[in-house]
Amino acid sequence: MRKQKLSSILTIVFMIVALSCTKEDNNPISDCENDDFFCQFSSRDFKMGFSTWPYAPTAEAVEGSYKFIDENADIYSEHIDSNIPWNAWFNDSTLPSEFINEIESRASRKLPNAQLTVSVSLLNSSRDELAFDYDGGIPDYAELNDQKIEDAYFKHLKYIANQLNPDYLIIAIEVNELLKNAPEKWDGYKLLMASIRSRIAEEFPSLNISESITLHNFYQPDVTNSEDFIEEIANYANAMDLVSISFYPFFKGLKTDEDFKEAFDFLHEQIEKPISFAETSHLSEDLTVESFNLSISGDQGQQNEYLKVLLAQAQIQDYEYIIWWAHRDYDLLWETFPDEVKDLGKLWISTGLITEDGIEKEAYSTWEEVLNK
């Protein structure tokens, strides 16, 4: 199952608001004077935060999401997984107002007391083609590394980085999905990113640059030759200075402490470079989506167990930061989704640390305990 962001809906929300977020033993608990989680660590050595995904399609919910992040995080993520104004970049013409409004809305809410990671997607939500333009089209190209594609995407990233001034920039999202879904485009993609990475580094020499990969389709890839796939992605990731991870364990039916630890063990065996978790979360309720023939059990205890394993690994393995995808369940936002994406949008609806009614879940206490270390 791929992570898809329904980002056109989020873009609309921002528009509305503009017009009116050492390898050691992997057992997280060691002998302590008490049995509190994280008790063996005297301090926290990684940053913790959320994306700015709102819980309702209102200005109040958007403002409330930023306020929650400001009070409960030291880093946050602006996730831009939406259309790219290709034609405007090709022709140096006027940018679409939808794009300008979205970026300006995010920039106007920049939090002064938290670091910022910005994730930008080159690819569509299916991760098999370039992102759509605002007119619904896709640019013509022979290879992904065509010069016009490179120049346009560099302008796109440069504009966003100048407007948002992030501490971390993820220049492409969930890139291993492209190798899985459209392997014939992978070589062109690698050439494109090598050039983009070099140009962005020259333009912003102090910026931390990365690309994200999905752990659920790295650890257990749905491909014919999994060994070759894993080797290719590991080699590609280890060429980065920072490896950014997208991970939703329930997509692979992972639900126990042992399940989670096995996935993390795999990650640490494969990856030699510093790690960040650019987006992750886990279910706190059962999930059923009939159109996907999907039924996954979940509860608050299971969600809390995943968060504990994640936080312990972040400390033990010296992660740069972790981003929990949504701070609050977004039932109110989901109710506004068009019918064609309603089932897709339901997948992450109960993964927040706060219920749709604003009540703290078990995992929220775990989050606060470690945040305040």
Side-chain angles (χ1 to χ4, degrees):
M1 190 78 65
R2 292 185 298 271
K3 173 71 167 135
Q4 301 174 311
K5 298 302 182 305
L6 306 154
S7 49
S8 59
I9 295 169
L10 185 56
T11 299
I12 292 170
V13 172
F14 273 102
M15 287 173 60
I16 291 171
V17 176
L19 297 172
S20 71
C21 212
T22 63
K23 295 181 167 37
E24 299 177 24
D25 178 8
N26 75 340
N27 186 344
I29 302 300
S30 63
D31 293 335
C32 300
E33 294 182 1
N34 57 59
D35 59 359
D36 291 343
F37 171 70
F38 222 73
C39 62
Q40 77 275 34
F41 304 119
S42 60
S43 64
R44 169 175 57 92
D45 299 327
F46 58 94
K47 295 176 282 290
M48 299 169 59
F50 301 90
S51 80
T52 59
W53 184 258
Y55 56 89
T58 63
E60 180 183 13
V62 172
E63 297 294 348
S65 297
Y66 280 91
K67 184 175 186 295
F68 180 91
I69 293 168
D70 191 38
E71 296 172 349
N72 295 275
D74 48 26
I75 191 171
Y76 71 107
S77 167
E78 293 288 7
H79 196 98
I80 305 171
D81 191 357
S82 52
N83 297 28
I84 295 175
W86 292 109
N87 287 324
W89 295 130
F90 289 153
N91 302 310
D92 291 321
S93 56
T94 302
L95 292 167
S97 59
E98 299 97 317
F99 174 70
I100 294 174
N101 289 340
E102 178 185 358
I103 301 304
E104 288 184 351
S105 177
R106 295 175 189 268
S108 70
R109 290 170 176 78
K110 187 171 184 184
L111 299 175
N113 300 317
Q115 290 195 352
L116 171 61
T117 180
V118 172
S119 297
V120 184
S121 187
L122 169 72
L123 304 171
N124 63 10
S125 61
S126 297
R127 310 299 189 223
D128 61 1
E129 181 55 275
L130 292 174
F132 293 108
D133 203 330
Y134 281 81
D135 62 3
I138 296 173
D140 293 328
Y141 62 89
E143 300 288 344
L144 280 179
N145 60 310
D146 282 2
Q147 192 63 50
K148 69 173 187 176
I149 301 296
E150 177 189 324
D151 291 344
Y153 196 56
F154 170 72
K155 292 176 186 177
H156 186 64
L157 292 171
K158 180 180 176 181
Y159 177 89
I160 291 171
N162 277 326
Q163 292 294 312
L164 297 180
N165 190 27
D167 300 281
Y168 302 87
L169 180 64
I170 296 175
I171 60 176
I173 295 172
E174 300 178 336
V175 304
N176 56 317
E177 302 287 320
L178 179 68
L179 177 59
K180 182 173 80 75
N181 299 325
E184 71 280 1
K185 299 175 183 177
W186 180 246
D187 287 343
Y189 171 82
K190 290 193 292 184
L191 292 171
L192 171 66
M193 282 296 110
S195 296
I196 291 291
R197 197 179 304 110
S198 176
R199 293 174 69 174
I200 290 294
E202 183 176 357
E203 187 75 22
F204 304 97
S206 63
L207 187 57
N208 291 284
I209 302 168
S210 185
E211 299 160 56
S212 74
I213 63 174
T214 60
L215 179 53
H216 38 274
N217 276 328
F218 180 31
Y219 170 46
Q220 295 179 345
D222 183 17
V223 296
T224 302
N225 191 329
S226 60
E227 290 185 4
D228 287 351
F229 182 90
I230 289 169
E231 182 180 9
E232 172 66 18
I233 294 304
N235 289 339
Y236 187 73
N238 283 318
M240 303 178 194
D241 292 331
L242 176 67
V243 179
S244 297
I245 300 298
S246 167
F247 187 34
Y248 299 92
F250 57 98
F251 284 175
K252 294 296 185 180
L254 309 182
K255 59 182 66 176
T256 68
D257 177 274
E258 291 74 17
D259 289 342
F260 305 142
K261 289 175 182 175
E262 284 182 10
F264 281 98
D265 285 347
F266 167 86
L267 176 64
H268 304 140
E269 288 167 1
Q270 298 295 328
I271 299 303
E272 303 166 356
K273 296 298 185 67
I275 292 171
S276 67
F277 267 62
E279 50 175 306
T280 191
S281 64
H282 197 64
L283 296 174
S284 64
E285 300 175 11
D286 293 344
L287 173 67
T288 301
V289 185
E290 292 182 1
S291 65
F292 294 165
N293 193 28
L294 186 67
S295 181
I296 305 173
S297 64
D299 56 49
Q300 289 197 29
Q302 187 183 123
Q303 181 192 55
N304 192 34
E305 190 61 37
Y306 171 64
L307 179 59
K308 286 183 175 182
V309 173
L310 172 66
L311 293 171
Q313 293 303 310
Q315 181 76 5
I316 293 167
Q317 301 292 339
D318 198 24
Y319 291 176
E320 191 80 6
Y321 62 82
I322 62 168
I323 298 291
W324 194 265
W325 172 247
H327 81 279
R328 178 168 169 170
D329 294 349
Y330 57 90
D331 299 57
L332 293 175
L333 181 64
W334 177 76
E335 289 173 2
T336 69
F337 288 0
D339 288 342
E340 62 268 22
V341 295
K342 217 170 182 69
D343 285 348
L344 177 64
K346 192 178 181 181
L347 296 177
W348 303 274
I349 197 171
S350 66
T351 59
L353 302 186
I354 308 293
T355 71
E356 66 271 23
D357 298 320
I359 300 171
E360 298 169 1
K361 300 180 186 178
E362 290 180 30
Y364 176 79
S365 295
T366 297
W367 181 275
E368 287 298 291
E369 180 180 343
V370 176
L371 179 71
N372 294 322
K373 271 284 187 177

